[in-house]
Amino acid sequence: DTGVSQDPRHKITKRGQNVTFRCDPISEHNRLYWYRQTLGQGPEFLTYFQNEAQLEKSRLLSDRFSAERPKGSFSTLEIQRTEQGDSAMYLCASSSDRGLYEQYFGPGTRLTVT
Amino acid sequence: QKEVEQDPGPLSVPEGAIVSLNCTYSNSAFQYFMWYRQYSRKGPELLMYTYSSGNKEDGRFTAQVDKSSKYISLFIRDSQPSDSATYLCAMSFQGGSEKLVFGKGMKLTVNP
């Protein structure tokens, strides 16, 4: 399967713990996006990478959130000191410069903060 | 007012029906318009995208964009039970990150 993959698929953590999620985009895609989706809502943009450069961050991305994309390949999203309000599906998407508006999503990581 | 408005439904139709899904938006700078399908507990799957105004057809699916009315539609002909999912409209500006702005999603059930 050459689609976008995410790991883990599910994560249950206690409030105050740190969590890290990984996204592997489609191999030739240089653009990578993170979105967050809560129940009954559409995904909301968090941040965007072009190759290894993080070029845009949403105001939703508080200072407890950090994302990286070393070497322009996979990306990680870390949440420090998790809060119950962080419970959501975290989605990763990728696209290429030839198909900018065709973003392909991974299966998501479902986070539950207890 | 949210930038993209979509009636969340739910919508229930019999198999074979024509389904019409719609979104309105407020920002006239949106240039690209997409429809995604999302099955329960899965990531969104791109169905179609359209640039600016006009129609686009792909099999049983037709996407329409009316920029003058800030209104987009997705029509599904001969709906099947396998079409049961949440349908999300999404829009993007031209240039920059091309991040997507989504509607809430409409939950569709097609009954056999």
Side-chain angles (χ1 to χ4, degrees):
Chain A
D1 184 11
T2 56
V4 178
S5 62
Q6 292 187 246
D7 184 69
R9 295 292 306 277
H10 300 97
K11 179 72 177 177
I12 300 173
T13 192
K14 290 186 183 335
R15 190 176 54 184
Q17 298 294 305
N18 298 345
V19 294
T20 300
F21 311 139
R22 177 180 170 123
C23 170
D24 286 90
I26 294 171
S27 59
E28 64 269 23
H29 285 184
N30 60 332
R31 293 172 174 238
L32 187 146
Y33 303 81
W34 285 98
Y35 292 83
R36 180 171 70 185
Q37 186 176 25
T38 53
L39 201 60
Q41 303 295 320
E44 293 179 291
F45 170 78
L46 291 178
T47 191
Y48 155 68
F49 290 86
Q50 184 165 359
N51 299 310
E52 66 276 8
Q54 187 175 19
L55 297 183
E56 188 172 342
K57 291 195 288 188
S58 162
R59 59 181 168 76
L60 292 176
L61 212 67
S62 77
D63 56 8
R64 296 185 298 106
F65 288 70
S66 63
E68 293 182 342
R69 193 182 181 198
K71 303 177 185 176
S73 55
F74 71 92
S75 176
T76 58
L77 177 69
E78 182 184 16
I79 309 174
Q80 295 183 327
R81 304 181 304 282
T82 51
E83 302 173 355
Q84 286 189 318
D86 297 331
S87 295
M89 173 83 94
Y90 290 84
L91 293 161
C92 175
S94 70
S95 68
S96 72
D97 285 339
R98 284 176 295 176
L100 288 175
Y101 304 97
E102 297 181 59
Q103 290 186 24
Y104 294 90
F105 281 80
T109 294
R110 182 169 295 280
L111 173 66
T112 302
V113 181
T114 61
Chain B
Q1 182 192 8
K2 292 199 75 170
E3 281 190 292
V4 179
E5 299 279 359
Q6 182 176 15
D7 180 352
L11 178 63
S12 182
V13 300
E15 184 174 353
I18 296 174
V19 175
S20 172
L21 306 169
N22 311 296
C23 289
T24 59
Y25 62 95
S26 57
N27 194 331
S28 58
F30 285 128
Q31 293 285 348
Y32 287 84
F33 305 90
M34 298 80 172
W35 286 95
Y36 282 82
R37 177 174 63 196
Q38 186 173 29
Y39 293 110
S40 183
R41 299 187 176 268
K42 305 284 188 187
E45 171 195 6
L46 179 63
L47 281 177
M48 301 181 71
Y49 83 92
T50 313
Y51 173 69
S52 195
S53 284
N55 293 359
K56 188 171 185 177
E57 189 172 320
D58 184 2
R60 297 185 294 111
F61 298 89
T62 299
Q64 288 185 350
V65 175
D66 182 348
K67 290 195 74 181
S68 62
S69 303
K70 298 192 183 73
Y71 188 88
I72 70 169
S73 301
L74 178 71
F75 297 96
I76 307 173
R77 290 183 297 282
D78 187 25
S79 55
Q80 303 294 310
S82 58
D83 295 328
S84 299
T86 294
Y87 289 80
L88 297 149
C89 63
M91 307 179 187
S92 179
F93 306 104
Q94 187 165 9
S97 67
E98 283 90 30
K99 65 187 176 193
L100 299 177
V101 181
F102 282 87
K104 275 190 172 185
M106 160 75 86
K107 185 174 170 63
L108 170 69
T109 301
V110 181
N111 300 299

